[in-house]
Structures are given as structure tokens and as C-alpha cells.
Amino acid sequence: MSSNIFASGCSAGLLPRSAPPQARSDERRQNGVIKKDSGSQEDLSFQDLTSIEKERRQLLLRSELPFWRILSYYRGTSLRAVVSDSLVWTTLLIYVWIRWRANTIDYVPAAVAMMEKTNVNILGGFLSFFLVLFVNQTNDRFLEMYGFSKACSGRIQDIAGVAKTQLPYEVADRLVCHFNAAHIAGYVGLNAIGQGSPYSKSNFFDHYNAKHHLLTKNEMKILSHHDMDNSGLCMKELTTWCQQDVAQARKDGLIDAHQEKSMHDKILQFRAAMDGMYDYTDQPPHFFYIHFLVLLSALYLPLFAIDMAYSSGWGDNKSIQLDILQGVIVFLQCIFVAGLRSLGTKMIDPYGDDLEDLSVINYVEGTLEICRTIMASKQPNRGAPSAPPKQPAKGAPSAPAPTPKQPAKGAPVATTCHTIEKSKQPAKGAPSTTTTKHPIKKQPTKWRPTKWRAVDIV
């Protein structure tokens, strides 16, 4: 780590003039990182990457298939690694040669008695322990890097959501475009360390930049001094642009100090997750450990084949059936040792072009799609008046008003406060449908004599 900082300081002019010349003209470094040895492998096109990604996503769906369908596949399985391993074939040839020798002679060699006193199973137990430990370590490493990739996507979505609701559209769109560009440039920068990655500027970054218009030509010109294919510094600068966009929005009064701090935290979390990917890629498991496992495997499998071959019978105890059965056991042991070692090795670098690697294209395109959905979202105004009802066309018959259903004669009617308030007075002479617990008795009217006045008489 200190050597990387030292080299980056040289390129930025931070070292004093008295620094040694080799520190300023180190040909093994470029843009502050160690150059990866250039190989003869040609860059894959974007169509090739898409084809690998499609097959990779289909491979993930095979985990829940029945066992008989799982056994029918060859690509993306341990059989492909076992068949291409020369140690497996060497072990099988040793077993076949000894058994062929045993079936061509009629006596029992003296080496048979010596082999009965050996115990290869102890070495096999130690090797099994170290292989399982190796696979567990690389699996944890694989899942950690998967978590870093998903964390980068999550932080971009967080910023897109906050920017959509708090910033004007032009400012928010600029911020989200810079953030997505930093995301893609981060995967391209992985070429500078470790085993490299198939994602380059020409076949990966330029494709998405042209499709989604993430950066303008002027912005690309500003970033041209970075070698995106051999450095992660372009991702670092784009991440700083995002922080500058947030700081400018705070100066313009578009967000407050609390919102600015929250957005800065999200951007720094993205950069920390991307740095985690770079750190794991830059530091694979120790070569000493890998060499130790390979050495144990190369010694154990031939010894296991010899032990099984000498214990399969000699002289009168020979049996073709036993030879076949012992040969199958030897092959299964080769699958166990070579398969576990190959499985652990494949999980060391999950950003390659293997079918078992992480789905980088799926992460990038999924993030872009979610950001586009967030930026295009529109919520209806709650205070807006509702649309008036449609008037029937002129001359068209209007729909008759629904007539309330009348209860049957004599049927009791349940009344509530609401129905009492809106009830209509029944017609005169109609029987009342309501009953009271204590009916009021009608008093008879008394006859009163008419009083005549004198004026009326005259």
C-alpha cells in the first residue's frame, strides 16, 4: 500500500526534487498502480460479454433442478475442471498400469507385503481438511465481493432517490449520470490489478456512455489523462465530481446541511465498497498456501492409486470386478481432490469471464434501469380537482335514475340515524312501517258549544 501511495505522489508532483530518479521513472507503474503484465488474450467484444452474461444467469437457475437434470450438464460443472486436469489422468494411468501388470503375472511380488504396512489414509485426512478450509475461505471472499458490488448499486439508488425529490431535474440528472459513470469506470479499472477483467473502456464503458449519455464530450476530454483500462483513478475522480455536485447544490441553497451530509455519506460508502473490491482483487490468497495444496495433491493422488492397485489382489486373488470397483474409487478420489481445489481457485477472482463469476453486466444495467425509473417518476398532485363527470352526448337518452327498492308490505324495516334523517314522509293513508315500544293513545275530542256574538247575529 505504501508503495502505491509513493508512486501516486510521484505522478502528482508531491515528491521533492531530491527524490531518486528510479522513483520518478518507474516503468512498472502507471497512474499510481502497478502495471499488469500484458498477455496475448484479445479483448472480448460487448456481444461476447453479453453472451457470457446470459449463460451465467441461466447457470444460476440450475441450482434448484432435480439431481438427474443437474448431472446432465457439463459446462459450468466440476467435470470440466477434472477432465482438463493432468494430475487426474496421471493418477488413473498409474492405477491401470499396476493392475495390467498384476493380470499378466502369476506370482505375488514382494512389494505387495510392503504396501500392506503403509497407511495413506492419514495423508488423505490432512489433505481433505486443508482443501475444505481453502474452499470455505474463498467462498467467504466471494460473498464479500458480491456484497461490495450490490452495495455500490444500492448507494447509487439512494442518491438517485434523494436527488429526484430534493434537487431540480437538471442538477439531479447530472449527479446521477456522474455516479453511474463512476460505477462503470470502477469495473473497468479492475484490469489494473489481480488477474484483470474482461471489461475494458472500449467494449464496456464506451458502450454504456453512448447509450445512456452519462458524460459529455467535454467531460470525457477532462478525464482523458487517466488510463481507465489500467487504473482506478478515473473512478476516484468521478466520485469526487459527485461530491462537488452535492457541495454546489448546498451553496445554491437547494439542500440544507443535513441533506448534504447524508448524500456525502452515501457517496463515500460507494467509494469504500469499490475500494473493497479493489483490495480483495489486489490481494488473493497466499501463493504459499496454494502451492502447499497443489503439492499435497500431487503427492497424495499417485500414492492413493498405488495403494488401491496393490490391494486389489494378486496371483489367485485377482478379480476383474474388483479391479473395476477399485478404479471407480480412485476416480472419485480424484474428483474430490481436483474438484475442491478447482472450486476454490475459481472463486478467488469473481470479476473474470468464467461462468461462475459475478454478473457485472446485470448489476450495471439493473442500476441504470432503476435510476431511469426514479428520475422519470411522476406523482399526481393530491390537491388537484377531480375531473368532472362526462356529459352525455346531445340527443342521447339519459340513463334513468335508480329507484329505491321498496320493502314488502308488512315487512319490518331496520332504521338508523342516517336513514331517519333522509327518510321521506309516507303518503297519506299509507300504513306506517315503524313501530314504537310504547304507542301513544289518541284522546277523544270533546264537543264544545259555539259562542255567538251579537255582531254576527245583526
Side-chain angles (χ1 to χ4, degrees), residues 159 163 167 171-179 242 245-246 263:
I159 289 295
L167 300 176
V171 180
D173 183 69
R174 174 188 174 89
L175 174 59
V176 173
C177 286
H178 287 170
F179 218 174
C242 297
D245 292 338
V246 174
M263 297 179 76

Side-chain angles (χ1 to χ4, degrees), residues 105-118:
I105 61 177
D106 296 333
Y107 61 92
V108 179
V112 175
M114 297 176 57
M115 291 298 300
E116 291 178 354
K117 300 179 181 180
T118 60

Side-chain angles (χ1 to χ4, degrees), residues 126-127 129-135 287-299 337 341:
F126 279 107
L127 179 60
F129 170 77
F130 285 114
L131 283 174
V132 173
L133 181 63
F134 173 62
V135 171
F287 175 74
F288 187 94
Y289 190 23
I290 305 296
H291 181 270
F292 175 69
L293 293 177
V294 173
L295 180 62
L296 284 181
S297 302
L299 294 176
V337 174
R341 179 168 50 84

Side-chain angles (χ1 to χ4, degrees), residues 16-132:
R17 294 294 181 181
S18 59
Q22 60 270 21
R24 296 184 177 274
S25 59
D26 190 357
E27 296 181 354
R28 295 183 56 206
R29 296 182 179 274
Q30 184 175 4
N31 286 333
V33 296
I34 299 177
K35 287 183 180 180
K36 185 171 65 70
D37 294 337
S38 59
S40 58
Q41 182 182 4
E42 297 181 357
D43 292 338
L44 299 175
S45 63
F46 185 79
Q47 289 74 17
D48 297 334
L49 295 176
T50 305
S51 177
I52 295 175
E53 184 79 6
K54 183 178 180 181
E55 190 171 1
R56 185 179 294 157
R57 301 303 296 179
Q58 293 176 353
L59 184 64
L60 295 176
L61 303 177
R62 300 177 186 173
S63 302
E64 300 180 359
L65 295 177
F67 78 97
W68 56 271
R69 290 195 60 186
I70 293 178
L71 294 176
S72 63
Y73 290 103
Y74 177 73
R75 283 178 60 84
T77 64
S78 60
L79 292 178
R80 192 173 185 180
V82 170
V83 169
S84 60
D85 195 335
S86 59
L87 180 60
V88 174
W89 295 109
T90 303
T91 304
L92 292 176
L93 287 176
I94 292 175
Y95 174 82
V96 171
W97 183 82
I98 295 176
R99 293 316 301 163
W100 173 81
R101 179 65 177 169
N103 285 274
T104 55
I105 61 177
D106 296 333
Y107 61 92
V108 179
V112 175
M114 297 176 57
M115 291 298 300
E116 291 178 354
K117 300 179 181 180
T118 60
N119 189 2
V120 187
N121 296 329
I122 297 178
L123 180 60
F126 279 107
L127 179 60
S128 301
F129 170 77
F130 285 114
L131 283 174
V132 173

Side-chain angles (χ1 to χ4, degrees), residues 141 145 190 193-194 276-284 349 351:
R141 169 193 176 92
M145 299 179 80
L190 290 173
I193 54 179
M277 295 162 50
Y278 278 71
D279 294 340
Y280 271 96
T281 306
D282 185 58
Q283 182 58 57
D349 183 22
Y351 298 110

